[in-house]
Amino acid sequence: MITRRRLLAGGAALAGGGVLFGWLGYRRAEAAVADRAAALTDTRGGRLLAGWVRIDEDGAVTVYVPHVDMGQGTQTALAMQLIEEMDGDWDRVSVAPAPADPAFANWFLALAYTRENGELPGAEAGWLDPVFRIAARRMHMQLTAGSTAVRTTGEFGFRLIGAAIRAVMVDSAAAALGVPAAELSVDSGQVTHAQTGRALDFGTLAADAATRALPARPRQKAVPERWLTGRPRAGLDIPGKVTGRTRYAIDIALPGMLHATVRHPPVRGHRLEAVDLAAARAVPGVVDALVEDNTLFVLADSHWHAEQGADVARPRFAGPAGPSSAALTGDRLAALDTGPWTEVEVQGEPAEMAGTMADADLFDVTLDVPYLHHATLEPMNATARMQDGKLDVWIGHQDPLGARADAATLTGLAFEDVTLHPCPIGGSFGLRVRTAPEASGPLRQVCLLARHAAPRAVKLIWPRDQDMKQGRYRPAATSRIRIGSDATGLPVLWDQTYTEGVVAREIAHPIPYAIPHQRFRSVPRRDPVTVGAFRGVNASQHGFWREAALDAWCAARGADPLDIRLRLLSGDARGTAVLGALADVLGPAAGAPGTGRGLGYAEGFGGTRCAVGFDLTADGPRPRILRTVAVVDCGQVVNPLSAAQQVEGAIVQAVSTALAERITLTGGAVDQSYLSDYGVIGMDAAPRGAEVIFILSDAPPSGLGESAFPPVSSALLEALAQATGDRRASLPLM
């Protein structure tokens, strides 16, 4: 049978056939790429092995990671996967961002999506590798998104690299010691010959090992042989962040640098009608004020002076009023009835099943979610310098190599004349991803300003109110769900219509529950603000809709929400184990007046199962969370410490969005200006410690950073409904 995955793999192979015919040319090109990678990482005279690992003469190891640091802990986990296979010395390891260069394009991502159970079928396994290497470089692939780092780059790339380096280290040691390779063992960065007691460390062997051909399919460790996976390790990035040595893009300071601020149109389609540029230029410290792309920019010797200049310029924008939030909500509700609908997926015979059911067997619920802002600690910013026909850009971006290509397009420079310096990101959650190069954003804007200010560098920072009002929001969306049940007391029909999210056809279904008859229809909507990916992408809203609808159905039928979920997941041993463990840890509910319990279940990227439960009380002006428990099966847990932190972080963010966060519009303009009026919860409302339990598994790692987010909001809604008797139909709950 030809599957979609196999078809994609075959198509890629055919597309690369011409390259593979020129094998010698490919080998020469690969040698040039290796030379370039070595030159880009030769900071201390070490040797680069396998294109990703530098080993210095003193044995220090630097792992170059093609995923940006957004606080996920994945850089440490990726290093653990690699060093484990390499049998290196963990105490001598550091990580660094991979340069934004095609030599470090992440071809493991492309390859991983075509694999079946970790390996391509048959002969495809070997000869497709060059195709994906070339494709990743041409596509400028260096993306951090979709919980892909550990489960794809780590499992399909870095483990392979570590095993290959170990193999060439053994070969080098065998040649140097004059003994058979089979008599050597490797541990903590040393290759030892037990019979003679002689040993050589990786630093000594690196120069020779770097000249040896890497095995294409080296032996990797079986799960029982792994000595780092599952052992907690402190994040390699933490000391730099605690001491302030880590430099985010907003920390960049260059000699003679100008500081820029911005004022955008508050409503999409409004035009800059009047602005006093002369007044702005008269402010002490202001160097220039200009209008580009219908937007005011002020450049000064400090950000403070730039802000003063922008304020006295008094830009006035005019245009027709846009819609307000109440009207948009009404439009979405009407659209569910009037369409036009796009049938996304059908299973079974939902229409026929609905027609045979009595009204008493059918249950309808409509649920709504608001626009959400990413509300990152670090506002949007970038620094750029154009000098002697070349451009340098410092930015925190989820796709540094792609951003470099976009910067070249925006400035008209050759790709080779642009250098992008990847910076860690102070929060993103899907915000700092690539858009069309012509779209407004800090990268486009800083490129314009760098050309204007050349040869001086320019740092552009969006002030907090501009960051809040010009976000790329999680879309506001509405869904109507009809659930039909039969004599067994279980749902057998799931008929859902929803307004489109970020990715209209993203399959947030089939739902994880064994409901035989399902239909999903979407309704296109045009947002008056810019929308984009949020944590979990469309699972952010679909997870809430699905779980909240099931809880409402259970309440209407007097059914136990946990029992119903367990029965609907009876064919999924991993899912029922997660829910069963959650119930065991939570124990019996208190059932006291004014208290409630809610739980939610979700499946994340790569098949992660996650269940979250809350106990709360509503005895005060706002609900108070008494207990939070999360049970997760994400396959093998590489670093339990950072994994638990990822789950905790997702829960805290999801609690904040469920309880209080929302973006509202008046006349098309965003009402919120700062974190305070947007609704980010404080310490008093946040869960006070979450109990995170991992179900240990030999399954490959699956996505984690986004998996705990979707089930939280519905669990809180259910707990609040039990505590107050008031079942809400929209978020936020406060």
Side-chain angles (χ1 to χ4, degrees):
M1 184 177 75
I2 299 178
T3 64
R4 178 175 180 272
R5 181 175 294 177
R6 180 71 66 84
L7 185 63
L8 289 173
L14 289 174
V19 176
L20 296 178
F21 252 107
W23 181 250
L24 292 178
Y26 167 74
R27 295 297 297 271
R28 286 194 295 270
E30 285 301 294
V33 169
D35 289 344
R36 177 164 179 78
L40 288 169
T41 57
D42 187 15
T43 57
R44 294 194 301 176
R47 296 302 181 105
L48 188 71
L49 283 82
W52 298 94
V53 182
R54 192 188 75 220
I55 301 179
D56 298 333
E57 292 182 0
D58 63 0
V61 176
T62 303
V63 180
Y64 291 91
V65 178
H67 291 279
V68 69
D69 172 28
M70 300 186 290
Q72 326 94 299
T74 52
Q75 297 203 337
T76 299
L78 287 167
M80 291 173 68
Q81 290 171 291
L82 192 150
I83 296 301
E84 182 166 61
E85 296 291 341
M86 198 170 87
D87 280 325
D89 182 355
W90 179 252
D91 293 332
R92 309 214 62 195
V93 175
S94 62
V95 293
D101 189 272
F104 293 90
N106 191 355
W107 65 279
F108 309 119
L109 278 179
L111 182 61
Y113 282 123
T114 69
R115 296 207 173 190
E116 297 176 358
N117 298 320
E119 202 66 50
L120 280 171
E124 297 173 19
W127 53 263
L128 268 180
D129 286 5
V131 176
F132 287 109
R133 289 177 188 265
I134 295 169
R137 291 169 191 154
R138 291 181 176 175
M139 294 169 62
H140 307 295
M141 183 177 290
Q142 215 175 49
L143 182 65
T144 302
S147 296
T148 53
V150 170
R151 69 185 177 99
T152 60
T153 303
E155 286 298 298
F156 298 124
F158 276 22
R159 286 199 181 277
L160 182 71
I161 289 168
I165 292 175
R166 183 188 189 278
V168 294
M169 287 293 180
V170 169
D171 289 344
S172 293
L177 298 173
V179 299
E183 294 181 3
L184 298 173
S185 61
V186 186
D187 183 60
S188 299
Q190 280 199 331
V191 185
T192 302
H193 186 243
Q195 289 88 327
T196 62
R198 291 180 295 168
L200 295 171
D201 63 38
F202 282 3
T204 302
L205 296 169
D208 179 74
T211 67
R212 296 178 178 270
L214 295 166
R217 293 290 180 266
R219 180 189 177 276
Q220 298 181 45
K221 296 183 188 302
V223 172
E225 298 176 273
R226 295 178 176 176
W227 53 273
L228 261 179
T229 294
R231 276 72 172 180
R233 289 292 186 271
L236 298 174
D237 57 313
I238 299 302
K241 292 175 178 177
V242 172
T243 61
R245 291 196 307 271
T246 299
R247 287 204 310 170
Y248 293 85
I250 202 169
D251 298 323
I252 297 299
L254 301 173
M257 181 177 73
L258 295 176
H259 299 257
T261 193
V262 62
R263 297 291 187 269
H264 301 94
V267 178
R268 179 186 287 177
H270 277 201
R271 306 296 301 173
L272 182 59
E273 187 176 68
V275 62
D276 192 343
L277 297 179
R281 291 168 181 151
V283 172
V286 169
V287 174
D288 201 1
L290 63 149
V291 174
E292 291 278 358
D293 288 345
N294 197 42
T295 301
L296 169 67
F297 297 95
V298 178
L299 294 85
D301 59 6
S302 70
H303 185 74
W304 172 249
H305 287 147
E307 281 293 299
Q308 289 181 311
D311 288 342
V312 302
R314 299 185 182 279
R316 187 171 72 249
F317 298 88
S324 296
S325 291
L328 288 169
T329 302
D331 289 345
R332 292 196 303 273
L333 285 167
L336 296 178
D337 292 323
T338 61
W341 305 281
T342 298
E343 196 166 88
V344 178
E345 185 162 317
V346 175
Q347 292 186 17
E349 299 178 340
E352 293 81 351
M353 178 60 64
T356 65
M357 287 185 166
D359 290 345
D361 295 325
L362 295 170
F363 175 81
D364 288 70
V365 61
T366 300
L367 299 157
D368 187 72
V369 296
Y371 292 112
L372 289 179
H373 184 46
H374 297 83
T376 61
L377 187 62
E378 180 187 23
M380 299 293 269
N381 69 94
T383 299
R385 178 179 59 207
M386 186 172 287
Q387 192 172 30
D388 300 327
K390 299 188 182 297
L391 178 71
D392 283 86
V393 179
W394 291 261
I395 191 171
H397 199 285
Q398 289 179 235
D399 188 0
L401 184 53
R404 176 183 172 186
D406 289 345
T409 299
L410 290 165
T411 56
L413 295 173
F415 179 83
E416 294 75 17
D417 291 331
V418 176
T419 300
L420 189 135
H421 306 268
C423 298
I425 300 176
S428 186
F429 317 113
L431 173 64
R432 291 170 165 91
V433 294
R434 289 180 76 182
T435 57
E438 65 272 11
S440 179
L443 180 62
R444 172 179 173 81
Q445 292 172 346
V446 82
C447 287
L448 290 170
L449 295 175
R451 184 179 293 279
H452 180 80
R456 299 180 72 177
V458 179
K459 178 197 281 186
L460 169 67
I461 300 176
W462 287 13
R464 181 63 69 182
D465 62 333
Q466 294 292 303
D467 186 83
M468 185 68 68
K469 292 178 179 294
Q470 301 293 326
R472 199 138 45 89
Y473 310 107
R474 197 280 305 273
T478 306
S479 181
R480 181 173 297 138
I481 300 171
R482 168 168 286 192
I483 303 174
S485 52
D486 64 6
T488 67
L490 287 176
V492 294
L493 169 69
W494 188 280
D495 192 358
Q496 180 171 353
T497 304
Y498 56 90
T499 58
E500 288 180 354
V502 181
V503 185
R505 298 296 180 88
E506 176 176 318
I507 303 301
H509 38 71
I511 57 180
Y513 304 117
I515 298 176
H517 304 282
Q518 302 177 25
R519 180 175 70 166
F520 297 88
R521 298 187 302 172
S522 67
V523 184
R525 304 299 301 157
R526 187 176 186 277
D527 290 279
V529 293
T530 303
V531 297
F534 200 75
R535 194 167 191 162
V537 198
N538 281 355
S540 167
Q541 59 264 30
H542 276 274
F544 167 68
W545 290 333
R546 180 186 65 245
E547 296 295 288
L550 189 58
D551 282 334
W553 178 87
C554 287
R557 296 294 187 272
D560 177 70
L562 174 63
D563 176 65
I564 291 296
R565 285 175 169 84
L566 287 170
R567 292 169 66 186
L568 290 173
L569 285 171
S570 60
D572 180 0
R574 293 176 68 187
T576 54
V578 163
L579 275 171
L582 177 69
D584 290 343
V585 174
L586 283 171
T595 65
R597 169 173 291 178
L599 61 90
Y601 175 79
E603 294 185 1
F605 291 112
T608 293
R609 276 75 164 173
C610 179
V612 179
F614 294 98
D615 287 331
L616 61 74
T617 179
D619 58 359
R622 64 171 65 186
R624 182 164 51 92
I625 296 173
L626 304 173
R627 192 179 183 196
T628 305
V629 178
V631 179
V632 183
D633 179 351
C634 59
Q636 297 165 52
V637 179
V638 176
N639 186 356
L641 182 61
S642 62
Q645 291 166 350
Q646 277 288 282
V647 175
E648 292 165 356
I651 289 173
V652 171
Q653 184 182 15
V655 166
S656 185
T657 61
L659 292 181
E661 294 180 27
R662 69 176 133 194
I663 288 290
T664 58
L665 306 178
T666 300
V670 171
D671 296 319
Q672 290 73 26
S673 297
Y674 301 99
L675 297 177
S676 55
D677 60 355
Y678 170 59
V680 176
I681 61 171
M683 294 289 287
D684 59 333
R688 297 191 177 183
E691 301 168 60
V692 180
I693 296 98
F694 289 101
I695 294 183
L696 299 182
S697 168
D698 286 345
S702 49
L704 182 61
E706 298 169 285
S707 300
F709 188 96
V712 166
S713 52
S714 61
L716 287 173
L717 187 153
E718 173 64 20
L720 194 60
Q722 292 182 16
T724 65
D726 178 18
R727 183 172 298 275
R728 309 287 181 86
S730 62
L731 298 177
L733 299 174
M734 286 169 47

